[in-house]
Structures are given as C-alpha cells and as structure tokens.
Amino acid sequence: MDDEKYYIVKKKALPEVLLKVVEAKRLLDSERVMTIQEATDAVDISRSSFYKYKDDIFPFHENNRGKTITFMLQMDDIPGLLSMVLNHIAKSSANILTIHQTIPIGGIASLTLSIEILPQTLELSQMLESIEALDGIHNLKILGRE
C-alpha cells in the first residue's frame, strides 16, 4: 500500500524520463501529435517507458481548484460500500459530477467517478488515500485531470 501514496516533488528532483512522459501526454492532449509513437519520438523516450509511467505522473497545478478529476476503482460488491465512498467525497467537500458502476462480476465491481475540486475541497491526495483505505476497495487509479 505504501507504493500507492501521493507525493509532491519538485521538478528538479524528477528523473528526466518522467518529465518526458508528462511532455508526451501534453502533446497528445493538445493534439499536436496523433499517436503515442509520434509523442514518444518527439520527446525521445521509448513507448515502453511511456506506458510504464503514464498513469503515475501528472503535472501539479497550483490552481487545481475548479478542476475535474476522473478516477476508477475496483471494489467488492458489499452493501453500503458505494455509500461509504461517496461519503468520503462529500466529507472532502468535492462535487460529484458523474458516477458509473459496472454490474459486479465475481463479486467485484468497477466504479468510475468524475469529481470537481472546489475551493473548499480538502487535499485531494488525502481524500483518495481515505477511499483506498476502505475495506473492500481493491485499487484506485486516476484516469485523468482537467
């Protein structure tokens, strides 16, 4: 579980490959390149490096309030667990924009949430860590930030 914690690290402390992954993602988002191969060629990294780190690094914006975060989690099909997840979001003062839960297969459901980070929202990493710590949550993955 320790490898799932969130940290804020100064740019100068990051390995160059991670910075290049962020740049490749920016190129893809801005549609200046159309394929992952073009993005990785443009920043001079391998596609395997891109795929290895693409879900683990995001630029930190000083003004991250009013932004949308979309994340997915896998959870046990336990009555009340979804309510507990939503309660953690509400206690953090974030605004839920969308919820999509799959039909549980093998006792596990996938839940995708989009939330808006408001000026009064508590620290995002604390909210995500509190959700991950709930019994019945298997994993949580940030899919995107806007």
Side-chain angles (χ1 to χ4, degrees):
M1 190 60 125
D2 281 344
D3 62 343
E4 294 294 324
K5 290 187 177 191
Y6 297 90
Y7 298 92
I8 295 182
V9 180
K10 287 185 178 181
K11 180 180 177 179
K12 66 180 181 180
L14 288 174
E16 185 177 358
V17 67
L18 294 178
L19 297 172
K20 288 182 175 186
V21 168
V22 170
E23 179 62 16
K25 288 172 57 173
R26 188 187 65 73
L27 290 172
L28 287 164
D29 289 343
S30 70
E31 298 180 352
R32 290 188 20 210
V33 295
M34 299 308 292
T35 66
I36 291 172
Q37 185 65 54
E38 289 174 330
T40 56
D41 286 348
V43 297
D44 195 32
I45 59 170
S46 67
R47 285 180 42 219
S48 62
S49 292
F50 177 82
Y51 284 113
K52 182 177 182 179
Y53 298 116
K54 73 178 180 67
D55 295 326
D56 295 322
I57 184 159
F58 297 93
F60 177 78
H61 302 286
E62 280 297 322
N63 185 11
N64 66 351
R65 306 302 190 197
K67 301 291 182 181
T68 301
I69 306 293
T70 302
F71 61 95
M72 186 274 303
L73 49 92
Q74 290 185 316
M75 55 193 275
D76 289 332
D77 183 25
I78 299 172
L81 184 54
L82 175 57
S83 178
M84 285 191 280
V85 169
L86 300 178
N87 193 29
H88 278 264
I89 295 168
K91 285 181 180 176
S92 296
S93 300
N95 185 33
I96 298 171
L97 300 173
T98 64
I99 302 173
H100 176 27
Q101 182 177 355
T102 63
I103 295 173
I105 297 175
I108 299 192
S110 291
L111 178 69
T112 304
L113 290 159
S114 291
I115 61 170
E116 181 181 20
I117 307 302
L118 303 170
Q120 65 271 20
T121 301
L122 302 179
E123 179 62 40
L124 178 63
S125 64
Q126 290 175 352
M127 178 184 65
L128 296 177
E129 286 177 14
S130 73
I131 292 170
E132 281 182 304
L134 292 172
D135 286 335
I137 301 296
H138 293 272
N139 63 30
L140 185 148
K141 179 179 174 182
I142 296 174
L143 299 177
R145 299 168 68 139
E146 188 178 309

